[in-house]
Amino acid sequence: MPHAIVYTEFGAPEVLTLVEIEAPPPGPGEVAVAVEAVGVNPIDGKLRSRVRPSPDITAPRRIGTDAAGVVTALGEGVEGLRVGDLVAVFGAPGAYATDLVVPASHAHRLPPLVTAAEGAAIGVPVGTGYQALRSLDVGTGDTLLVHGGSGAVGQAIIQFATLWGAKAIATSSARRAGRVRALGATPVAYGPGLADRVRALALHGVTVAIDAAGTDEALDVSALLVTDRARVATLVRGADASARGIRAFGGGSPEPLTPQQLAWRAEAMPVVLALLAAGRFSIEIGPTLRLAEAAEAHRLLEQGGVDGKIVLVP
């Protein structure tokens, strides 16, 4: 019998429970997927705890959006995929499950040697980072400051930015500086004196900044160093962006993403899969837990200090 993680009230991680579900056949334009891995994202916990505004719960609510698994059935009209394909799935509500039915447009075949865990780790972080960079028109000649460079979103931002010709400077702890450097950025320690340390590394100035950390320091230093506020964005503190005169892409912003921004998030999936196939992109996988241990996965995520993407497996 298929299973999924649900919650019936907002709260701490322990509200997450494993229940049996029905697995409907795929409709026109849809595919059924037997899930092999699920990506755990910070937004999942924010919705579960209602830190991020959420509608009232009137029925058991599913959770998650990113997964990977094997196609088990095709709906009418589906082309380009076959039963047995290993696919990455993004934007799939209720992804914490053993079985999913999703639009075929939200499932992309994984290249050889790309694992299900890596496929499940792509959707939210890579889509967010790619879209932010496209929205800010980052490329050759830019010096980019990334706050939270060692997180999943920060790692994606660093890799895309450097591939597109920008110089990246990324905040991190001393322990994680090696990972940031390996991805192509210059690591810089956060904390008092950050602005001066960044100035010493960016001799010609910082032209664009992205906050993936959500701290006051990240917002203050970005606004101090980047002259054009239209090229400063937060991915975490969206509710504060307008008052600070900067941009927000999600992160609780009252302004929804534009159709173009949503299109860029979807475009990121095939782009990054091609880069993974060519050995030009890296996904860091962290702890792997069973689907039934979703609550523990959320506790790990919220306590911090976890290296790499937390993944659930059925």
Side-chain angles (χ1 to χ4, degrees):
M1 187 75 179
H3 290 79
I5 298 294
V6 303
Y7 56 104
T8 57
E9 60 180 326
F10 298 108
E14 52 264 26
V15 301
L16 299 176
T17 58
L18 183 70
V19 300
E20 291 186 351
I21 59 169
E22 296 294 328
E30 295 180 329
V31 297
V33 177
V35 175
E36 294 192 354
V38 177
V40 177
N41 293 301
I43 184 62
D44 302 340
K46 292 174 183 178
L47 292 171
R48 182 215 72 231
S49 61
R50 218 178 195 179
V51 168
R52 190 65 55 83
S54 301
D56 291 339
I57 297 174
T58 58
R61 182 167 295 172
R62 302 271 295 271
I63 187 168
T65 58
D66 296 342
V70 176
V71 174
T72 58
L74 305 175
E76 181 182 353
V78 172
E79 298 180 354
L81 292 172
R82 297 175 297 182
V83 170
D85 282 343
L86 181 62
V87 295
V89 173
F90 72 98
Y96 287 29
T98 60
D99 298 83
L100 293 171
V101 173
V102 301
S105 59
H106 288 215
H108 292 266
R109 186 184 298 108
L110 291 179
L113 304 182
V114 176
T115 68
E118 291 170 328
I122 292 172
V124 167
V126 171
T128 300
Y130 182 91
Q131 172 264 308
L133 291 166
R134 293 294 301 268
S135 295
L136 295 169
D137 195 25
V138 175
T140 301
D142 276 317
T143 296
L144 166 69
L145 174 60
V146 185
H147 299 277
S150 66
V153 176
Q155 291 191 31
I157 290 171
I158 289 168
Q159 292 180 86
F160 283 129
T162 55
L163 282 168
W164 298 345
K167 174 182 178 180
I169 299 170
T171 67
S172 76
S173 66
R175 186 177 65 82
R176 296 287 283 158
R179 175 64 180 173
V180 167
R181 186 178 292 108
L183 295 176
T186 301
V188 61
Y190 48 73
L194 174 60
D196 289 338
R197 290 192 294 278
V198 174
R199 285 192 183 101
L201 295 171
L203 299 181
H204 300 289
V206 176
T207 58
V208 57
I210 300 175
D211 163 41
T215 62
D216 286 342
E217 175 187 68
L219 299 182
D220 293 342
V221 170
S222 295
L224 180 66
L225 296 180
V226 181
T227 303
D228 183 358
R229 294 292 180 88
R231 301 198 80 201
V232 177
T234 179
L235 308 178
V236 187
R237 297 271 294 276
D240 301 324
S242 178
R244 289 175 173 267
I246 64 174
R247 302 175 71 179
F249 306 125
S253 171
E255 297 295 326
L257 294 174
T258 67
Q260 177 60 78
Q261 289 165 350
L262 291 171
W264 278 329
R265 291 200 176 194
E267 180 181 290
M269 182 68 77
V271 169
V272 80
L273 289 176
L275 289 170
L276 284 167
R280 301 179 64 199
F281 203 93
S282 174
I283 302 290
E284 184 182 28
I285 301 300
T288 299
L289 291 83
R290 292 181 296 110
L291 181 63
E293 298 175 299
E296 177 60 21
H298 277 218
R299 280 188 282 269
L300 287 173
L301 185 69
E302 291 171 8
Q303 75 184 26
V306 174
D307 297 348
K309 189 72 168 180
I310 299 174
V311 173
L312 300 173
V313 295

